[in-house]
Amino acid sequence: MLIAQSLLTEFEAQAPITRKFLERLPDNKLTWKPHPRSLTAGQLAYHLALVPGGVVRGAQKNQVPPSDFQFPQPATVREVLDAFDKSIATVREILPGFDDAAMNATWRIVSDGQEIAAMPRVVFLRNIMLNHWYQHRGQFCVYLRLLEVPVPSSWGPSADERSVLQPEPQPA
């Protein structure tokens, strides 16, 4: 299996799980934040929606400048979900185009001619498109919990939802 196909297979399994989390955010809680230094729930949800597509677009180049880390405030959950759908489509379009040579090629962050980071493209995609995404999904899980919103299962059950790996108990 090609490296890109392997990442895409994992991504395809995780995208619907992330969508379940995003769908649970109430529209009236978009500006809520757990701490003054935290992102709002809407900003974090929007970031979750944008990460995959933005990262895979950045991976198309051999070098990029450092991110300016903007966190826009969405007006509605529909705006977040529409951005998520576009992001998913972007990954599906771009990721399969990388062959193994491109995935193993060095990808760089460069600022004013100074190299800040260099790594194989696959490492960048694994660490930022996927691992970074999962980390923020976990963070969003805490936001949902603090908002008293039922937390979806992800790899295993949550306190609110059984995992697909757990059958429903059968009545005696």
Side-chain angles (χ1 to χ4, degrees), residues 113-127:
Q114 179 83 13
E115 185 175 276
I116 296 171
M119 64 197 77
R121 183 173 279 105
V122 64
V123 172
F124 169 66
L125 288 166
R126 158 67 52 210
N127 286 340

Side-chain angles (χ1 to χ4, degrees), residues 71-91:
F71 297 99
Q73 177 64 51
T76 65
V77 172
R78 172 54 34 211
E79 183 181 346
V80 171
L81 295 173
D82 288 348
F84 184 69
D85 291 340
K86 288 178 188 166
S87 186
I88 298 306
T90 299
V91 172

Side-chain angles (χ1 to χ4, degrees), residues 2-70:
L2 293 173
I3 296 168
Q5 186 57 49
S6 175
L7 290 178
L8 185 60
T9 298
E10 179 177 340
F11 175 78
E12 291 289 359
Q14 294 300 315
I17 295 168
T18 300
R19 185 180 184 84
K20 283 193 321 184
F21 279 76
L22 296 174
E23 289 172 337
R24 298 225 176 149
L25 179 61
D27 267 318
N28 67 345
K29 298 297 183 184
L30 288 167
T31 58
W32 177 88
K33 57 167 84 176
H35 187 276
R37 291 192 309 258
S38 298
L39 296 177
T40 68
Q43 288 171 313
L44 181 55
Y46 205 55
H47 185 63
L48 268 171
L50 296 175
V51 161
V55 170
V56 80
R57 274 192 306 277
Q60 287 183 291
K61 303 170 186 157
N62 290 326
Q63 72 179 46
V64 299
S67 175
D68 61 359
F69 294 107
Q70 298 293 312

Side-chain angles (χ1 to χ4, degrees), residues 2 27 133 143 170:
L2 293 173
D27 267 318
W133 196 39
Y143 277 48
Q170 298 301 314

Side-chain angles (χ1 to χ4, degrees), residues 124-139:
F124 169 66
L125 288 166
R126 158 67 52 210
N127 286 340
I128 306 302
M129 187 179 79
L130 295 176
N131 295 346
H132 171 83
W133 196 39
Y134 303 151
Q135 180 264 329
H136 280 306
R137 189 172 73 193
Q139 180 185 11

